[in-house]
Every structure is written in C-alpha cells, then in structure tokens.
Amino acid sequence: MSYTSFSFLLFLAGSIFLYFVFPKKYRWTVLLCASVFFYLRATVKGFLYVLVTLLSTYGFGIWLTDFSKNMKQELKQISDRSEKKKRKEILQKKKRRILLAYLLLNFGILAFLKYTNFFLGTINSLAGHEAVPLLDLLIPLGISFYTFQATGYVIDIYNGQLEAERNLAKLGLFVTFFPQIIQGPISFYDQLAHQLYEPHDYDFVRLKKGAELMLWGYFKKLVIADRIVGLLNVILEKYAEYNGTIILTALLVYTVQLYADFSAGIDISRGICEIIGIDMAENFRRPYFATTINDFWRRWHITLGAWMKKYIFYPFAVTKPVMNIGKKIKNSRFGQTDYGKHVAKVFPVSLSSLVVFMVVGIWHGANWKYVGFGLWNGLIIMFSELLKPLFEKMTAALHIRTESAGFRLFQIIRTMFIVIIGYVFDIAFGMHSALDMIRKVFFEQSLSAETWSTLAAISPIDRWDVLLACAGILIMFIVSLIQERTGKRVRDLIDDKHWTLEWAVTFAAVILIICFGCYGPGFDASAFVYMQF
Amino acid sequence: MIMDELLEILQDVNDDVDFENCETLIDDGILDSFAILQIIAALSENYDISIPAAEIIPENFNSAKALLKMVERLQNE
C-alpha cells in the first residue's frame, strides 16, 4: 500500500477517524492495529522478522532493566569499596554480554538479509562459475528503520536512561508505527513513545496543518520527483555511451529527485503524525543551503545522523585507543607546535567521523561503491577539520569577509559541488562505474549541439514535462529560501494572512497535484527511494 | 576542584563560547559533536576520569556547572 495510492488515503482517513472516535484510553490500540494492518498488507513473511525483533527487544529490555535494578541492590549492600568495585566490574561485564547478545541477534538478521547474497556472489565471481547458489532472501519492509529504533531503545535501557516497557502491545506500536516504518524518521524512544501512548484530541488547526504538510509532500513526490526520475534512469542505463555533460545532467536530476522524493515521504509521514497530534522529529533542514559538508550532514537525514552519533560516533570516539591517539600526538614533538596541538584535538574526532561514514556507507548496501561514498564524505570532513587553521590563515591573508553574502554563496556552491560528486557513488552500478563517471564529469564536458540532441533523443519526458519540473523546482526553491531566511514554516506564514489566501493556496496545490502529478493508469508511480533500505 | 580551573580548560577548547554564563550549550547547538569530544578529551586528561558515551546527554553538557557536577560524580565513582 504505497503512500501515493488511493487505497492508502482511504486507509489513512479510516484510521484517523477511528482514532478520534475511540475511547481515549484505547486510542493507541487503533494506531497499533493500523500499523499491523499496514505492514501485513505489504508483506506477511516480512512481518515474521518484525516479530522476532519485537519479541527480542521486549525480552532483552526487561532482562536488562531487572538486571540493573538487582545490580544496584546488590552493590548497595557491599560496604567495602574495593570489593564493591570488583563486583561492579563483574556485573557490568555480564550486563554488557546481555546487550551484545541482543545486538548480535538483531544486527545479525539485518546483515544476513542484506549482505549474504553479496558474499555468495563474490564467491561465484572468484570461482568463475556458480559455485554456490544465491539465496532467495526477502528483505522486510523498513528493516533498517525498525531495527535502528528498537536497538536504540535497548541501548538506552542498558545505559540506564530508560526503563523497559512491560506492555508488549505498546512496545509493538513503537516498533511498527506505520507512518515511519517505511523510511523513517528514526525516533528515540523517550521522544516518541509517550506521544504514541497518550491520547490526543481532535484539533481542526492541526488537521489542516498536517494535511497541508502532506500536500506539500505529494507535490514534491508526484509533480517533481516522479516526473524527472525517468530521465535519470535512461542515462544510467547506458551511461558508458554518454559524455560528461550528460552524466552531469543525470547527477543534477538525481540531486533534485532524491531530495524531492525522500523529503516528500518524510513530509507525508510527519503530516500524518501532526494530524493525530504527534510531534515527529525533523529529518531535513534545507540541506542544499549548507555551507560546509559537516553542515550538510547536520541538515540531511537528521534522525539517522542523530542515531549514528548517539550509538556509534560517541561510543567509538570515547574508547581508550581513540582517545590515546590524541594524547600521543600531543606528547610528541609535533604536538608541541600550534598546528600539532590542533591536530591532537581534531584527529581522533575526525577519525571517528570517518568510521561513522563508512558504517553509513555499508548500511546503504553491499557494494564497494558505498565504501567509496563513506571515504569521500569521511575524508573530506577529516581534511577540512585538519586544515582549518590553514584555511583561516588564507581567508585572513586574502582579506575575505567570511560573514559576507558573497562568501556564503561561495560556501554553498562549494558544498553542493562536493555533495553532487558524492552522489556518483549512489547512482553508479558499482565502484568502477562510479570512478568512470567522475572521470567523465571532469574531463569529458561538451556543450555541443550533439550533446543536446542526444539528450533530447533519449529523454522519456517532453519539453512540457521539463518546463513543469522546472516550475516545481522553482517553487520548492522559493519555499526553502523563505524557510531559511525567516526560520518559519511557510504554512504558518500563509495562515497568518487572510483565510482566502490560505484556502486559495491549498486549493491550487490540490489542483496542481491532480492535474500535473504523475499517478494513475499509464504512470508507474515510483517507490520512495529510501524504502529499499 | 574549582570552577575557575574547569573554565580555563573549556576556554582552551573553544574560547569563542561563553562557558561561564551559558546554560544551553547543547540545547542551542552552541557545542557541536566535535567540541563535545574535545571537551571530553580535555576533562579525561585533566581529571583522570573516563567519560562513557552514556554520559553525553544535554543535562551533563548544557553548562559549565553541569559539567563540573558530572566530573565530581565520576571522580567519586
């Protein structure tokens, strides 16, 4: 049941109606039933994997909570300090083993389903024939998103930041909540769970605002993303035949399509939550206005970044070996210099950041190109931090006013350039083709008439589609610019005006989507890009 | 441990931040993850403590006062 299908809209309207007419005490059960129904409509087999994650999360969560309580009690009764310390270490080790078993089970399932065929394929290609048959593995819908959310919950319990939920059905709602299970946003338990369980009253303003956000999502998905994705696909199919200008065109199309598609899915999810009365975490904050690559990753897929930061980046960065790297640099002769002191401070952190990007890369898929993605982003962040004093000296020597609008524009363009080159690793079939594409982009540019006639010949979209897409992109750009400048939601700015304007904009959006959206017979509405993860 | 000593360590990490008065270092995004880890490295070295990742929460890093409280607690553990 795709977000863009009529049946989904019916399902949604029914669920929301039932939610508000149900007795307050049981409203959360409507969300649970809707979530289970939504998932089972997509896949019954996949739901079995969800159940394994849910039951293990429930069991291990309670085990860890009870273990921590008993541990506290036991330690309280020991008065001798050194004995207490010894006992604490032993119990801490046991507790860590419980967590490890849970993580191995859940990340094991994720890794098995995502990477087994990659390894079997590698064995076959090394053998030169089909030595081992590939497995017919089903990747459950949204496996990464519910796994991340569930493991985050158990790690928080391990860290003493949460107590386990003892109601299995309630925990089930947290793990399977339908607006977010397909592609996020990934929520932390302490931010989301209580909002799911407590009843929310019907509120017309929230209904209107949530519906407006959903409309905006449908506009981006159906009018922009799905209109241009065909052009991207035909270029990629035979990319080797085209020059760098056409490859660059594909990259630019992907830049728009990915953002329009992914942010659309998130807006629809957040809009649904707003209607119900749930404040869902933000996942994008105008990423293409970022001034540095670090800034970009703080604005793009924010909830995945927050998850990675909390559960991988910090735990890795504060380990003794990583902390000792900084100390070693500091104690060396190089570490006594001004630049050495800077390197001692930022190198361990940059290294941790590189590790996180490698993990994010590998999470995207079993392919060497994703290692390239991790290296590209991680190394650029590492070098930009390591060379910061040099850049500061350069800007000072050149008397560049770093606060000026011109410099900010330069920074935005520079960041976009890095991001767009990084997208090569997304769209290419493999590492080899990614490197080939980069070579073409840099060394095979041609603005000749032949380039444009080739593009026109292969393009599955006509000039009206191009015009419509450009108009849609312009609207998306203006909305983003207003948000970036004012820090306010455009919906709120419109609502502050006369009600006629508000309804006129809403009506225009509906008409635009109905008339110019890519849906219905003859259109194969594309699945949301991030559903595959 | 006195506050002045801690403030000196924090200023050494980033002297653009008003550690003395600010109480929303995390909530207002004044400290990013790079700065947080640099503070952890400096505190670990100066006070001979180990700060686990579970301690990296806004309540512990929002102000110098909160940091001082965390350091004292970890020293006593």
Side-chain angles (χ1 to χ4, degrees):
Chain A
M1 195 160 40
S2 160
Y3 270 6
T4 51
S5 66
F6 187 65
S7 55
F8 175 76
L9 292 178
L10 271 182
F11 155 79
L12 185 64
S15 304
I16 291 170
F17 174 76
L18 282 176
Y19 181 82
F20 288 122
V21 297
F22 244 61
K24 281 188 178 183
K25 201 178 166 190
Y26 301 108
R27 282 189 185 164
W28 66 272
T29 60
V30 176
L31 297 181
L32 176 66
C33 292
S35 301
V36 172
F37 176 78
F38 179 79
Y39 203 94
L40 287 175
R41 273 292 302 263
T43 159
V44 176
K45 244 187 185 175
F47 193 68
L48 296 176
Y49 287 103
V50 180
L51 279 181
V52 172
T53 296
L54 172 62
L55 291 173
S56 61
T57 303
Y58 178 74
F60 276 87
I62 290 176
W63 189 2
L64 279 168
T65 296
D66 292 348
F67 190 92
S68 300
K69 277 185 185 164
N70 294 336
M71 181 175 154
K72 232 180 187 175
Q73 284 290 332
E74 192 184 327
L75 291 175
K76 234 185 205 173
Q77 286 162 1
I78 304 172
S79 51
D80 182 64
R81 212 182 153 110
S82 69
E83 198 188 323
K84 196 177 194 174
K85 202 177 169 187
K86 256 189 206 166
R87 187 69 191 142
K88 192 180 174 184
E89 271 172 24
I90 293 169
L91 291 171
Q92 201 66 42
K93 255 187 198 167
K94 273 190 183 172
K95 195 173 153 189
R96 205 173 300 142
R97 266 187 234 137
I98 298 172
L99 176 70
L100 206 66
Y102 170 79
L103 294 177
L104 277 175
L105 171 69
N106 281 283
F107 285 120
I109 294 172
L110 182 69
F112 175 76
L113 295 175
K114 280 187 96 158
Y115 308 120
T116 302
N117 279 338
F118 169 74
F119 287 115
L120 295 180
T122 308
I123 291 170
N124 287 342
S125 63
L126 286 175
H129 65 281
E130 201 185 310
V132 276
L134 297 186
L135 301 180
D136 182 21
L137 292 173
L138 165 116
I139 297 189
L141 187 70
I143 182 169
S144 295
F145 298 102
Y146 72 71
T147 303
F148 283 169
Q149 217 162 267
T151 47
Y153 159 79
V154 173
I155 297 171
D156 284 351
I157 292 175
Y158 171 83
N159 285 333
Q161 291 161 355
L162 283 182
E163 276 212 11
E165 171 59 62
R166 287 174 191 268
N167 184 329
L168 178 64
K170 281 191 172 177
L171 188 66
L173 172 58
F174 171 70
V175 174
T176 61
F177 186 43
F178 75 90
Q180 64 175 136
I181 198 163
I182 307 175
Q183 53 179 356
I186 302 161
S187 299
F188 294 126
Y189 186 84
D190 57 351
Q191 288 169 352
L192 178 67
H194 66 96
Q195 297 193 72
L196 295 174
Y197 309 151
E198 64 201 28
H200 302 277
D201 290 325
Y202 166 78
D203 180 336
F204 176 70
V205 176
R206 236 181 22 226
L207 170 80
K208 193 179 67 177
K209 298 244 176 181
E212 283 168 0
L213 186 57
M214 286 179 69
L215 264 182
W216 179 234
Y218 281 116
F219 174 79
K220 286 190 285 187
K221 169 74 176 162
L222 296 174
V223 179
I224 304 173
D226 284 0
R227 170 157 275 110
I228 57 177
V229 71
L231 178 59
L232 172 70
N233 291 338
V234 289
I235 297 175
L236 293 181
E237 249 169 48
K238 295 178 182 168
Y239 87 92
E241 292 175 14
Y242 308 127
N243 65 27
T245 309
I246 296 178
I247 304 290
L248 186 62
T249 307
L251 273 171
L252 294 174
V253 168
Y254 181 70
T255 303
V256 174
Q257 188 257 343
L258 178 66
Y259 175 68
D261 184 288
F262 193 10
S263 69
I266 296 293
D267 283 349
I268 296 169
S269 297
R270 294 186 74 228
I272 296 168
C273 291
E274 197 167 341
I275 292 172
I276 299 169
I278 293 167
D279 188 16
M280 184 66 86
E282 203 179 19
N283 213 33
F284 293 97
R285 216 169 28 238
R286 281 92 52 205
Y288 293 156
F289 284 97
T291 51
T292 63
I293 193 75
N294 245 337
D295 186 25
F296 174 80
W297 287 109
R298 278 194 292 267
R299 292 163 173 257
W300 180 275
H301 211 341
I302 298 168
T303 58
L304 176 72
W307 192 95
M308 289 285 165
K309 193 159 79 175
K310 189 171 177 186
Y311 302 116
I312 295 182
F313 178 71
Y314 285 142
F316 178 79
V318 298
T319 55
K320 268 196 181 146
V322 178
M323 297 282 265
N324 283 341
I325 297 173
K327 274 185 200 165
K328 272 186 188 158
I329 299 173
K330 201 176 170 187
N331 294 333
S332 68
R333 259 175 68 185
F334 170 63
Q336 305 304 311
T337 62
D338 280 350
Y339 184 60
K341 280 178 192 158
H342 172 76
V343 173
K345 267 194 223 168
V346 301
F347 184 74
V349 192
S350 316
L351 183 70
S352 310
S353 163
L354 178 65
V355 168
V356 168
F357 275 105
M358 296 301 284
V359 172
V360 172
I362 294 165
W363 165 68
H364 273 89
N367 194 316
W368 285 107
K369 67 173 185 167
Y370 291 121
V371 175
F373 162 90
L375 283 174
W376 173 256
N377 285 286
L379 287 177
I380 285 177
I381 288 180
M382 181 181 262
F383 283 110
S384 63
E385 287 297 328
L386 288 173
L387 300 176
K388 211 175 203 173
L390 182 72
F391 295 140
E392 283 171 359
K393 271 186 189 164
M394 271 168 63
T395 47
L398 295 168
H399 303 292
I400 293 170
R401 285 190 304 119
T402 51
E403 301 304 317
S404 68
F407 188 69
R408 193 174 142 77
L409 185 65
F410 160 74
Q411 286 180 306
I412 291 173
I413 294 169
R414 179 192 60 187
T415 307
M416 277 311 294
F417 174 77
I418 295 168
V419 169
I420 290 172
I421 295 300
Y423 281 158
V424 169
F425 297 104
D426 270 1
I427 64 172
F429 299 118
M431 188 67 163
H432 183 261
S433 56
L435 295 176
D436 195 30
M437 280 183 178
I438 293 175
R439 182 189 58 77
K440 279 175 177 254
V441 167
F442 280 98
F443 302 111
E444 280 187 23
Q445 285 298 329
S446 165
L447 293 171
S448 64
E450 197 192 331
T451 300
W452 304 120
S453 61
T454 307
L455 255 178
I458 61 170
S459 174
I461 57 175
D462 61 23
R463 71 173 64 174
W464 289 110
D465 277 323
V466 174
L467 266 176
L468 268 170
C470 288
I473 293 164
L474 187 67
I475 293 172
M476 190 164 71
F477 173 74
I478 292 169
V479 167
S480 299
L481 192 65
I482 294 170
Q483 285 178 322
E484 186 69 10
R485 289 228 163 145
T486 62
K488 287 182 179 171
R489 306 189 304 185
V490 175
R491 289 177 286 156
D492 295 337
L493 293 173
I494 294 171
D495 288 358
D496 289 344
K497 309 282 179 212
H498 196 265
W499 65 270
T500 47
L501 178 74
E502 187 192 342
W503 283 102
V505 171
T506 308
F507 187 66
V510 174
I511 295 293
L512 272 174
I513 294 166
I514 291 173
C515 295
F516 302 119
C518 301
Y519 63 92
F523 280 105
D524 181 18
S526 310
F528 283 90
V529 175
Y530 260 75
M531 272 177 79
Q532 59 183 308
F533 299 112
Chain B
M1 190 184 73
I2 47 168
M3 181 57 107
D4 291 348
E5 194 186 326
L6 175 70
L7 285 173
E8 208 175 298
I9 294 166
L10 296 174
Q11 299 296 352
D12 192 41
V13 171
N14 188 343
D15 54 7
D16 293 333
V17 177
D18 180 12
F19 285 106
E20 203 170 347
N21 300 308
C22 186
E23 299 210 326
T24 50
L25 293 167
I26 304 294
D27 294 346
D28 287 349
I30 296 165
L31 294 182
D32 63 10
S33 50
F34 270 60
I36 290 170
L37 287 170
Q38 285 173 30
I39 288 173
I40 288 176
L43 295 179
S44 307
E45 200 184 337
N46 281 281
Y47 299 111
D48 195 26
I49 51 171
S50 104
I51 303 174
E55 296 286 351
I56 310 175
I57 49 174
E59 296 89 271
N60 288 341
F61 281 79
N62 256 335
S63 66
K65 226 188 271 173
L67 280 164
L68 182 69
K69 216 170 139 189
M70 177 185 71
V71 170
E72 284 175 342
R73 181 168 45 80
L74 290 172
Q75 275 180 326
N76 288 329
E77 267 182 13

